[in-house]
Amino acid sequence: MSPSRAPAVWRRALTVLTGCMLAAGLAGCAGAAPELETNAAAKFQQQVLEVTRAAAGSNPSAALKSLDSLSSELDAAAAAGQVSFKRHRSITAAINSVRADLTAAQAAKKAAADAAARAAAAKATATAKPSPTTAPAVVVPAPLPAPVPVPANSGRQDNSGKGKSEGSKDKGSGKNKD
């Protein structure tokens, strides 16, 4: 429901409700058994005015609360014999029509608010800049390879055993000289 159409729907529904209430009030002035007593009609007209003001102010939730109050008052008046069964049914039908329109308007208003909130969140996310308090990324170097074990004798051969090493056999004094 578009925002420009919602007030027209409310006006139509409220016109129907107001018309029913006025007709009921005028019928109460007739000489036969009233379908709606004058005091009850005055209360209902006041409550219809509250519904109309809330709906005109684009506040469907407040209008629905006022409409619920009107419905309760109508039921109480019917139980007290201030409203005929026929008039109770016609007013209840008008209340239900207005309630359907207000509920639709409330849903449309909520959907529009949700869409606006989602659009604002998307815009904020798209234009968000990194904050200066954000810590820079820390690069951790790869671990070094494990050290190669070094022999205890620092890599030197120990020739201090019995016998001669093979490398020293050829070093004799005067032997095998060429």
Side-chain angles (χ1 to χ4, degrees):
M1 180 178 305
S2 71
S4 62
R5 183 174 173 223
V9 170
W10 292 343
R11 277 182 268 153
R12 179 181 51 87
L14 293 173
T15 301
V16 169
L17 182 61
T18 304
C20 287
M21 296 303 296
L22 290 175
L26 293 175
C29 296
E35 289 189 20
L36 179 63
E37 288 187 5
T38 306
N39 291 338
K43 279 189 211 176
F44 296 157
Q45 287 173 349
Q46 184 63 33
Q47 289 175 324
V48 168
L49 182 60
E50 289 176 24
V51 172
T52 305
R53 285 181 183 155
S58 295
N59 191 350
S61 61
L64 284 168
K65 286 180 185 177
S66 296
L67 199 61
D68 289 341
S69 176
L70 173 62
S71 182
S72 296
E73 287 290 327
L74 176 64
D75 291 341
Q82 297 174 335
V83 180
S84 71
F85 178 72
K86 179 181 174 186
R87 184 57 64 195
H88 181 269
R89 279 193 328 193
S90 68
I91 295 171
T92 300
I95 288 173
N96 290 338
S97 174
V98 172
R99 180 176 283 120
D101 288 343
L102 289 172
T103 302
Q106 186 178 31
K109 187 175 181 179
K110 183 180 181 324
D114 289 347
R118 276 186 257 118
K123 184 178 179 182
T125 301
T127 60
K129 295 180 182 177
S131 67
T133 59
T134 304
V138 177
V139 179
V140 179
L144 296 175
V148 177
V150 178
N153 59 7
S154 302
R156 292 179 296 175
Q157 288 185 349
D158 190 12
N159 292 332
S160 61
K162 293 183 182 176
K164 294 184 180 177
S165 71
E166 296 187 24
S168 62
K169 288 183 181 178
D170 294 25
K171 292 184 185 176
S173 55
K175 294 184 180 177
N176 296 333
K177 287 188 180 180
D178 295 298

